[in-house]
Amino acid sequence: MSTPRPTRPIHKLASAVAKCSPEVSAYGKCIVADYNNVHKDKCLTEFLRLKECVRGVVSFVLFPLILGGLMGF
């Protein structure tokens, strides 16, 4: 019998994002609405909602390491 492999942090992030599909959709629609003019803080409200959703799903300890590192926070 094989031992279960530990879940990698990126898998936890992917799982969390999958559970936040309304927020992902809203953020994506906002970005795509004017994708030729993407800039810092564009769609900030939608991004913060997505961030809070993911934060609620992923453990508090892993969130700053995963998403913070990817997004530069």
Side-chain angles (χ1 to χ4, degrees):
M1 190 154 100
S2 65
T3 59
R5 292 174 44 172
T7 303
R8 293 177 50 193
I10 193 68
H11 291 146
K12 287 185 180 185
L13 177 61
S15 177
V17 169
K19 293 176 183 174
C20 298
S21 64
E23 291 82 0
V24 170
S25 180
Y27 181 64
K29 286 177 183 177
C30 181
I31 292 293
V32 170
D34 190 11
Y35 64 88
N36 287 319
N37 188 28
V38 176
H39 54 83
K40 184 177 189 240
D41 294 338
K42 179 176 178 12
C43 306
L44 181 62
T45 302
E46 292 82 356
F47 175 76
L48 292 176
R49 287 185 186 137
L50 173 58
K51 179 181 168 183
E52 287 305 311
C53 180
V54 171
R55 178 176 277 170
V57 176
V58 176
S59 73
F60 187 74
V61 173
L62 288 178
F63 182 81
L65 298 175
I66 298 170
L67 193 56
L70 293 174
M71 302 303 287
F73 292 103

